[in-house]
Amino acid sequence: MSLAEQIDALPAPVLKRLHDRGFDEARLVQRAATIGVERDARNRLSGRVEPPAPDDIATAPVAGTADHARCRERGLSALSRGEVALCVLAGGMATRMGGVVKALVEALPGRSFLDLRLGENAALERLVAREGAHVPLWLMTSEATERPIRDALGPRLDGERCATFEQNVSLRLTPEGALFFDEDGGPGVYATGHGDLPDALRRSGLLDRFRARGGKTVWIANLDNLGATVDPAILGWHLAHGGPITVEVVDKVGSDRGGGPVRWNGRRVITEEFRLPRGFDPSTVPVFNTNTFLVDAAALSALVMEWTYVEVEKQIGDRKAIQFERLLGEITAALEPRFLRVPREGLASRFLPVKDEAELERRRPEIEAIAKARGMLG
């Protein structure tokens, strides 16, 4: 039985579940034919790749300077007009924190990651309360995280000021290109990556309604990076310098590795390290991507691009599975970015990633200090 026939033979409720979440059968069948054969060519950038030019990376305005004051004032004005929405990436397969949805893990005693993001949102609204403005909080969830997050939000969910929307799904394959079935006999459904955000957000209708109300900027950040709060000065810098997208980057320290800015065929882009051409020295890129983006809402709404779906091999129990994922940083291949170096140390830090329980234990003192300083604890 061909892959297309296997998919068509799935129960109708399963097919509806897939198609409601952006599943594209024809695209998966096309990719399946290339498993292994073209993996390296598909995953790596082709053409000329060079380190970023010295003037490609700007530095965020420093508190206490005239530039910071100007940028902060401009950012506060935009916030007071209701022109900014915060979009938090809270999807995935809920596998890294002992099987618990990360949003509901206690980042601080008695306060989950979700609680602290809600606290950030409340602090922002206090900042612009005199204008009666709101900063919508949207959470991109997945099948694995949607219900637990919605249950935790309870009456706060109103579909506009606080809303969730689900990212896309696809089907895992065997290394031979057939459907991968889980131990319970069902097809292996998985979330296809943060690169789902533009399509999933448009599908939700949230972006169109936000723009209709005068919304201008979508601030995108990882749930687990509690340093990446909405900062009026950074917002003001983004607005003052124009362009459809600003990407926050931080200096590499020690053995840090990660995706970052490069020049690809002369154009600025963000790319993951594993997508660099063989022979390219990652140490020539002094900063890396924090996955925090300020994006022009109109440009995001109009975005049309052919995404690269990277081929990833996963270990599922004692078996190998193939899945195809897309990365949000690739949005910079269609929208010309500006790179803004932000702090990663002290109370000004904008980079506090938490990938697992051990890292959370190490970072709790920093998270607590920053949460207090930025009003996230109420």
Side-chain angles (χ1 to χ4, degrees), residues 27 31 42 194-199 202 275 300 303-310 325-332:
R27 184 179 286 138
R31 290 193 209 109
R42 178 176 49 249
H194 288 159
D196 295 342
L197 186 141
D199 290 349
R202 283 196 297 265
R275 299 203 64 210
L300 186 59
L303 179 68
V304 176
M305 61 179 289
E306 185 62 36
W307 290 86
T308 299
Y309 283 80
V310 296
E325 303 174 2
R326 56 180 171 172
L327 307 163
L328 184 55
E330 196 179 8
I331 195 174
T332 58

Side-chain angles (χ1 to χ4, degrees), residues 269-344:
V269 297
I270 288 286
T271 191
E272 294 301 312
E273 190 170 312
F274 72 86
R275 299 203 64 210
L276 294 170
R278 292 187 181 280
F280 184 95
D281 182 1
S283 69
T284 61
V285 181
V287 296
F288 64 94
N289 173 29
T290 68
N291 219 42
T292 302
F293 305 85
L294 287 74
V295 190
D296 177 80
L300 186 59
S301 179
L303 179 68
V304 176
M305 61 179 289
E306 185 62 36
W307 290 86
T308 299
Y309 283 80
V310 296
E311 181 181 331
V312 179
E313 187 174 271
K314 293 284 185 178
Q315 189 72 30
I316 311 296
D318 60 356
R319 296 181 295 158
K320 286 184 173 15
I322 301 297
Q323 55 191 55
F324 293 90
E325 303 174 2
R326 56 180 171 172
L327 307 163
L328 184 55
E330 196 179 8
I331 195 174
T332 58
L335 302 177
E336 184 79 14
R338 292 184 181 276
F339 307 130
L340 185 65
R341 180 190 278 110
V342 297
R344 63 177 295 175

Side-chain angles (χ1 to χ4, degrees), residues 236-290:
W237 187 94
H238 165 73
L239 296 172
H241 286 78
I245 182 168
T246 294
V247 185
E248 293 191 15
V249 298
V250 291
D251 287 327
K252 289 180 179 177
V253 175
S255 61
D256 277 343
R257 301 186 69 175
V262 296
R263 285 265 176 168
W264 179 34
N265 296 325
R267 193 178 186 281
R268 296 188 300 268
V269 297
I270 288 286
T271 191
E272 294 301 312
E273 190 170 312
F274 72 86
R275 299 203 64 210
L276 294 170
R278 292 187 181 280
F280 184 95
D281 182 1
S283 69
T284 61
V285 181
V287 296
F288 64 94
N289 173 29
T290 68

Side-chain angles (χ1 to χ4, degrees), residues 142-222:
S142 65
E143 282 196 307
T145 67
E146 166 77 357
R147 179 48 53 193
I149 287 176
R150 289 185 69 87
D151 288 346
L153 288 169
R156 297 184 186 88
L157 277 171
D158 64 4
E160 296 298 334
R161 289 175 60 181
C162 183
T164 66
F165 63 100
E166 283 191 50
Q167 67 184 113
N168 290 13
V169 299
S170 190
L171 294 168
R172 289 188 174 117
L173 303 176
T174 68
E176 295 72 38
L179 279 188
F180 180 97
F181 288 91
D182 294 329
E183 291 182 356
D184 63 6
V189 179
Y190 70 97
T192 50
H194 288 159
D196 295 342
L197 186 141
D199 290 349
L201 186 55
R202 283 196 297 265
R203 189 168 64 238
S204 74
L206 288 166
L207 187 57
D208 285 343
R209 294 194 294 274
F210 173 61
R211 291 185 61 216
R213 297 192 304 271
K216 305 288 188 186
T217 304
V218 180
W219 193 303
I220 303 167
N222 283 349

